[in-house]
Amino acid sequence: MSASTAPGPSAATIEAIREKAKRLSILSMMSTTAAGSGHPTSCMSAAELVAGTFFYAMKFDPKNANSPDGDRFVLSKGHAAPVLYAALAEAGVFPESRLMTLRQFSSELEGHPTPRIPGVDAATGSLGQGLSVGSGLAIAARMDKSPTRVYVLMGDGEMAEGQVWEAAAVAGHYKLDNITAIADVNALGQSEPTMYQHDMEIYRKKFEAEGWAAEVIDGHDVAAVLAALDRAKATKGKPQAILARTIKGHGVAEIAGKEHWHGKAIPKDQLQAFIKEIGAPITIPPDPGKSYARTSLPMPPDFPAPAAPDYDPSKPVATREAYGFALKRLGAVNPHIVAVSGDVKNSTFSEIFQQAYPDDFVQGYIAEQNIVSMGVGLAARGKVPFLDTFACFLARGYDQVRMAAISRSNINLCGSHAGISIGEDGPSQMALEDLAIFRAVHGSAVFYPSDAVSTERLVETMARRPGINYMRTSRPKTAILYGKDEKFPVPGFKVVRQSVQDKVTVIGAGITLHEALKAADELKAQGTNIRVIDLYCLKPIDGAALAKELAATGGKLVTVEDHWIEGGVGESVISALALAGTAASKSRLIAVRDMPHSGKPEELIDAFGISAKHIAEAVRAIS
């Protein structure tokens, strides 16, 4: 670690930043009062910190606010959005008049920030995620050999979130000296004082324990703020934490440090008096109504087609293993691919990618929430992140995935070891909810490949598709079903067994597709033909195309899945058919219905009702 020997900011600079801070506080009060709601006191505690960061420390181009050449600012305490909007307006991103449209239906200035706003990389408001997003931005900048820095403003209330310390640990481990966390420790939460209130040493020790350079300052002393920002820039080999002791509602005696003002706008009849305590009134003209929203957000970068899958058709391959080979092939044609694993790279096989492209791989350790939000930061700098862990553990990061969707982020998730077919590890490791979880995410695509070829083709699709993409992979090895030139459009499915005599349509995916094919062989030997469909894409589903296949078998339907009945393959199909204006004439939805336990995969598949035997029984019952 090294310290700067350059002279500090001049008295004129300190005074200019002090005046900026006053304007930010006043504009925050004005905009929230105009809206009739918001969090002005949370903005006022952070005004000097934001002013110092934006107008002294950051390299920022208001005409290209999300430029990869500029520094990045993440407002983790997203409820303080008005102070960020005020800073953007003061910087020239949009006029101050736009601030007076805060929280209006027609405005891009929502109650919490989203990337619709220039200068914002991720939606915040679900607290505790900003440091992870910032870490992703910092890692991506390091990969790009960019000198840009990342600043993350956090609140002390959100530092009760475990994700903050996941992020702090990983940033410290990787010695991310291009990230500075600024903690606005105002000692007041929403309903009562925060856990540690103004015991600043606790925060300092926690950050230092994770390998950070940490210092405590008076967050309303502008000279101290600027000096701390200078020291952070000069620190090498460690991330930096500036722990600022602040007062909520700073500058107005009636509300400063007082409880029960959280989330309350200043009443209109008190606004002018409160403003005068801070500084001169600000006159703002009417807003003309022009939108300043970003009309287009980054798409995944295009890339040439990777090499075709190359598997021996006689040798089964687990889809989880094919995922690793797919990433490696993608890495050869797309330099933006980054793989992040939750300490399971030898089970998800992302280690295959790591061995080929070690500089583009990040060990995320067992910190799933941090991994997902890091992915949002990586994507914001133009990377194409693939994040992997066991499917059951991705449930821990569900809120982070939800926020990624609000961020309009392009992230790809792979959940392996799904369902009872994993075998002996038992139910704590058996994801039986993941399809329902990811289907519920706005704009998501959900893929469930059944063989190595479809896995590889769908991984390529994920790299090209914007939004949230989820792939479910399986532990057991499965037969190769498709040739290397087979295509897998989205939406889409494959009819893998059919005849003009088909009596029932059976739809499976992953392990259960192979069970359906066994059932088809058994039934055919007994004189009954069935149509077998591989539903490799659970969202979106082409319900009209499925309806045509179903009609060919008299409307009789069996679905089978290694998942709970709720929200998985069966309900996906029924819903898609309903949206297409049709329904099965007879149906059976086969799924896991009882709590599983350890056993061999084949024992569990049969015991819990999703084996070929049970599929054949369901077909007989309705044919």
Side-chain angles (χ1 to χ4, degrees):
M1 185 175 73
S2 63
S4 174
T5 57
S10 67
T13 296
I14 293 170
E15 183 57 29
I17 298 300
R18 184 178 291 117
E19 289 303 311
K20 282 289 187 187
K22 290 179 180 179
R23 287 186 69 86
L24 298 186
S25 280
I26 291 169
L27 290 168
S28 297
M29 287 195 293
M30 292 175 67
S31 61
T32 50
T33 295
S37 64
H39 301 76
T41 58
S42 299
C43 298
M44 295 159 78
S45 64
E48 287 82 5
L49 303 173
V50 175
T53 304
F54 257 89
F55 303 108
Y56 177 75
M58 281 180 65
K59 177 175 63 176
F60 181 74
D61 179 3
K63 295 181 180 179
N64 190 6
N66 296 84
S67 167
D69 297 323
D71 293 340
R72 310 300 264 259
F73 181 88
V74 179
L75 181 68
S76 190
K77 50 175 285 182
H79 54 285
V83 75
L84 170 60
Y85 301 160
L88 293 171
E90 287 292 295
V93 174
F94 43 75
E96 288 179 343
S97 64
R98 196 65 185 160
L99 299 175
M100 298 302 108
T101 70
L102 174 70
R103 293 178 169 235
Q104 292 180 14
F105 181 77
S106 60
S107 177
E108 66 276 11
L109 303 185
E110 299 185 58
H112 294 75
T114 77
R116 293 179 64 213
I117 301 164
V120 175
D121 285 310
T124 53
S126 183
L127 293 173
Q129 300 184 21
L131 192 58
S132 300
V133 172
S135 296
L137 287 163
I139 289 171
R142 177 180 282 184
M143 289 176 170
D144 293 339
K145 296 179 171 54
S146 168
T148 62
R149 298 185 58 79
V150 181
Y151 295 89
V152 180
L153 180 65
M154 302 187 297
D156 53 337
E158 71 174 317
M159 287 196 285
E161 290 279 8
Q163 183 179 354
V164 170
W165 304 106
E166 289 183 2
V170 170
H173 172 74
Y174 286 115
K175 303 184 188 305
L176 297 181
D177 56 9
N178 58 345
I179 187 169
T180 300
I182 305 167
D184 174 15
V185 185
N186 63 34
L188 290 178
Q190 174 170 325
S191 63
E192 65 179 44
T194 55
M195 188 183 301
Y196 302 127
Q197 300 184 47
H198 276 140
D199 190 339
M200 305 301 292
E201 283 302 294
I202 291 180
Y203 294 112
R204 183 182 64 78
K205 290 175 181 176
K206 290 180 79 167
F207 273 101
E208 287 182 344
E210 299 294 359
W212 290 58
E215 65 171 306
V216 175
I217 65 167
D218 178 347
H220 299 304
D221 181 339
V222 172
V225 171
L226 303 190
L229 289 166
D230 280 339
R231 286 189 290 273
K233 277 189 179 181
T235 299
K236 304 301 179 186
K238 289 185 176 183
Q240 314 88 43
I242 298 172
L243 308 170
R245 188 185 191 280
T246 62
I247 302 297
K248 202 165 186 173
H250 172 72
V252 177
E254 187 171 330
I255 60 176
K258 302 292 188 0
E259 293 188 52
H260 310 306
W261 274 93
H262 182 91
K264 294 181 180 179
I266 308 301
K268 290 182 179 180
D269 60 357
Q270 294 179 279
L271 179 62
Q272 291 307 313
F274 284 11
I275 288 173
K276 287 179 182 178
E277 283 193 56
I278 294 175
I282 300 173
T283 301
I284 298 178
D287 184 67
K290 175 186 175 183
S291 173
Y292 291 86
R294 295 166 72 190
T295 55
S296 61
L297 292 171
M299 292 282 289
D302 196 15
F303 57 92
D310 184 20
Y311 295 99
D312 182 342
S314 67
K315 295 180 180 178
V317 178
T319 55
R320 62 176 176 135
E321 187 174 4
Y323 170 76
F325 288 122
L327 287 183
K328 179 181 177 180
R329 283 189 235 276
L330 278 180
V333 295
N334 187 342
H336 304 286
I337 301 292
V338 176
V340 184
S341 183
D343 193 28
V344 291
K345 62 183 180 179
N346 56 342
S347 290
T348 60
F349 285 91
S350 56
E351 66 179 3
I352 295 172
F353 175 85
Q354 180 192 19
Q355 290 160 6
Y357 305 103
D359 293 340
D360 298 317
F361 178 87
V362 179
Q363 173 59 270
Y365 300 98
I366 303 172
E368 292 84 8
Q369 295 180 358
N370 183 55
I371 287 170
V372 175
S373 297
M374 276 175 51
V376 174
L378 288 162
R381 273 199 67 96
K383 302 299 181 185
V384 181
F386 279 82
L387 320 169
D388 68 72
T389 185
F390 289 5
C392 56
F393 303 141
L394 277 174
R396 292 182 175 180
Y398 185 68
D399 182 44
Q400 288 70 23
V401 175
R402 181 184 71 88
M403 290 299 294
I406 296 170
S407 294
R408 285 78 162 174
S409 186
N410 305 321
I411 64 170
N412 306 293
L413 303 113
C414 176
S416 75
H417 290 63
I420 62 173
S421 57
I422 71 166
E424 290 87 346
D425 281 346
S428 70
Q429 313 297 295
M430 297 172 176
L432 291 165
E433 310 85 3
D434 56 312
L435 298 177
I437 285 172
F438 285 99
R439 283 183 61 232
V441 174
H442 175 73
S444 65
V446 178
F447 303 114
Y448 191 4
S450 299
D451 84 334
V453 174
S454 56
T455 301
E456 290 217 27
R457 291 304 191 189
L458 291 169
V459 168
E460 180 186 348
T461 295
M462 293 166 75
R464 297 187 187 280
R465 184 187 179 278
I468 310 300
N469 299 300
Y470 174 65
M471 174 176 283
R472 185 189 224 217
T473 61
S474 303
R475 185 178 190 178
K477 294 180 182 293
T478 51
I480 303 296
L481 299 174
Y482 302 107
K484 65 179 182 178
D485 296 324
E486 191 79 26
K487 304 299 182 185
F488 295 85
V490 175
F493 54 84
K494 294 289 183 185
V495 181
V496 293
R497 190 73 60 87
Q498 65 178 321
S499 74
V500 294
Q501 292 86 27
D502 292 340
K503 302 299 183 183
V504 177
T505 296
V506 177
I507 299 178
I511 292 297
T512 62
L513 177 67
H514 296 272
E515 294 297 316
L517 290 171
K518 292 177 189 176
D521 291 338
E522 175 188 334
L523 289 163
K524 184 175 182 180
Q526 298 167 358
T528 300
N529 291 315
I530 63 172
R531 184 156 302 193
V532 180
I533 289 178
D534 174 6
L535 191 65
Y536 62 79
C537 180
L538 267 74
K539 182 186 176 184
I541 294 180
D542 187 343
L546 267 184
K548 291 179 181 178
E549 300 297 333
L550 185 62
T553 62
K556 297 172 184 178
L557 172 69
V558 171
T559 65
V560 55
E561 59 194 296
D562 192 359
H563 189 275
W564 297 128
I565 188 69
E566 295 84 5
V569 173
E571 290 192 354
S572 300
V573 169
I574 297 298
S575 174
L577 292 172
L579 291 171
T582 190
S585 59
K586 293 183 179 181
S587 64
R588 292 289 187 275
L589 274 57
I590 303 175
V592 180
R593 295 177 183 267
D594 297 315
M595 184 59 67
H597 51 77
S598 295
K600 295 185 183 304
E602 58 273 17
E603 291 176 323
L604 295 171
I605 289 170
D606 190 53
F608 289 92
I610 60 172
S611 67
K613 177 182 75 175
H614 294 279
I615 297 169
E617 289 173 356
V619 168
R620 294 187 193 102
I622 64 173
S623 60

